[in-house]
Amino acid sequence: MPAPDVDTYAKGMRPALGHVNLMVDTLIANASVDDLRTIVRSMLATSPPSVASSFVSAARGCLSQSLQRGVGKPPMLFETRERHIPGHGHVIDTAPSAKLNGLLAYTRTLYGAGMGFDSIDILVGIVRATTGLRWEPDDRLADELAIIDADISQAVQSCKEELAGGNVRDVGAARSALRKLRTALADCRAEVEDWGGEFPFSRGSSNAECLQL
């Protein structure tokens, strides 16, 4: 049975690249994100390790072309909302903004592709954005900060692998990014200790201090 006619130029779709089969390109252009994730995971799990290496290498090349540097407006990363609790009146909640969630997703994309030092450059701004915030151990904000702590740890692990694999493009920039992260974490710790809170990035800070470059 012949394949149905598909207008691959409809709805702003890119034309098929020279090295991609037309039907494969049509699949990529039309499949849902969840389906594509399933396909890629299945392919990588059932292929030789060299395929995964090629995949990550291609990801690094693509991400390097559109690399974002730093965080534009840190105060916008957290939003303050007033909430009414019956019998207790109004309380103020601080929660991550859509901007923060987007930056964290981008950061995970970077360190997942082996670009750890590029990811910590962005994490510096996220840590700085906590300046002036207050939280209790059982607050939602404390839970969100714990997630960021895990991201810092994963990013540092990605840095270690980037170093071990000889993939650091600019050692000077890498050292600068690591130094900025350590300073931001130290400043955050000092501020939190001043108001009697619990430092939320202990694991990430320990991992960053242990990284030798």
Side-chain angles (χ1 to χ4, degrees):
M1 179 179 177
D5 292 332
V6 179
D7 182 1
T8 58
Y9 294 89
K11 299 181 181 179
M13 291 160 46
R14 296 181 300 103
L17 300 176
H19 58 280
V20 178
N21 176 279
L22 176 60
M23 289 298 111
V24 174
D25 192 68
T26 300
L27 166 65
I28 295 170
N30 290 279
S32 69
V33 172
D34 286 341
D35 283 343
L36 285 175
R37 285 172 176 157
T38 300
I39 293 168
V40 171
R41 285 173 179 145
S42 176
M43 182 187 72
L44 295 178
T46 57
S47 299
S50 60
V51 175
S53 297
S54 296
F55 175 78
V56 172
S57 178
R60 281 199 301 267
C62 178
L63 291 167
S64 296
Q65 298 299 315
S66 59
L67 193 60
Q68 299 177 22
R69 290 290 183 186
V71 176
K73 297 181 179 179
M76 295 178 59
L77 299 184
F78 295 92
E79 298 175 339
T80 300
R81 304 184 183 95
E82 189 176 59
R83 180 165 55 94
H84 178 73
I85 299 179
H88 295 82
H90 292 278
V91 297
I92 302 299
D93 280 341
T94 302
S97 66
K99 171 76 170 176
L100 175 59
N101 292 331
L103 272 177
L104 287 174
Y106 179 63
T107 300
R108 292 161 190 155
T109 300
L110 290 176
Y111 70 64
M115 299 171 67
F117 289 103
D118 291 306
S119 71
I120 64 173
D121 190 50
I122 295 175
L123 285 166
V124 168
I126 294 176
V127 172
R128 292 287 185 196
T130 65
T131 301
L133 300 181
R134 302 288 185 272
W135 57 86
E136 297 294 334
D138 57 349
D139 286 350
R140 176 190 171 191
L141 179 57
D143 293 337
E144 297 292 344
L145 295 178
I147 293 172
I148 295 172
D149 186 31
D151 279 314
I152 295 171
S153 297
Q154 291 293 326
V156 172
Q157 178 60 35
S158 179
C159 291
K160 293 178 181 178
E161 295 176 6
E162 193 174 357
L163 277 170
N167 294 318
V168 179
R169 301 187 307 276
D170 186 332
V171 175
R175 287 198 180 102
S176 177
L178 181 58
R179 182 172 60 252
K180 289 177 182 177
L181 178 63
R182 288 170 172 168
T183 301
L185 290 167
D187 290 346
C188 178
R189 183 192 295 273
E191 182 190 18
V192 173
E193 288 177 351
D194 282 345
W195 60 264
E198 182 178 346
F199 180 54
F201 306 128
S202 295
R203 187 172 62 160
S205 180
S206 296
N207 289 340
E209 290 298 328
C210 291
L211 179 58
Q212 299 297 320
L213 179 60

